[in-house]
Amino acid sequence: MRDCDEARFYYKQCGGSVLDRDGDGIPCEDLCGFKSTT
């Protein structure tokens, strides 16, 4: 992924099990600037 917007697009279009490993609804936490607390 090039950026967070691209990650969100693929997450919405293709399903997010691979892009959202912790299941919190945020794809690619490292890319999108979010860190998981779990």
Side-chain angles (χ1 to χ4, degrees), residues 7-38:
R8 288 183 180 143
F9 172 80
Y10 281 104
Y11 179 73
K12 289 179 183 177
Q13 295 298 315
C14 304
S17 62
V18 175
L19 297 177
D20 182 17
R21 293 182 185 163
D22 62 0
D24 66 354
I26 300 169
C28 302
E29 277 88 354
D30 290 338
L31 183 63
C32 290
F34 298 97
K35 298 292 181 188
S36 175
T37 58
T38 57

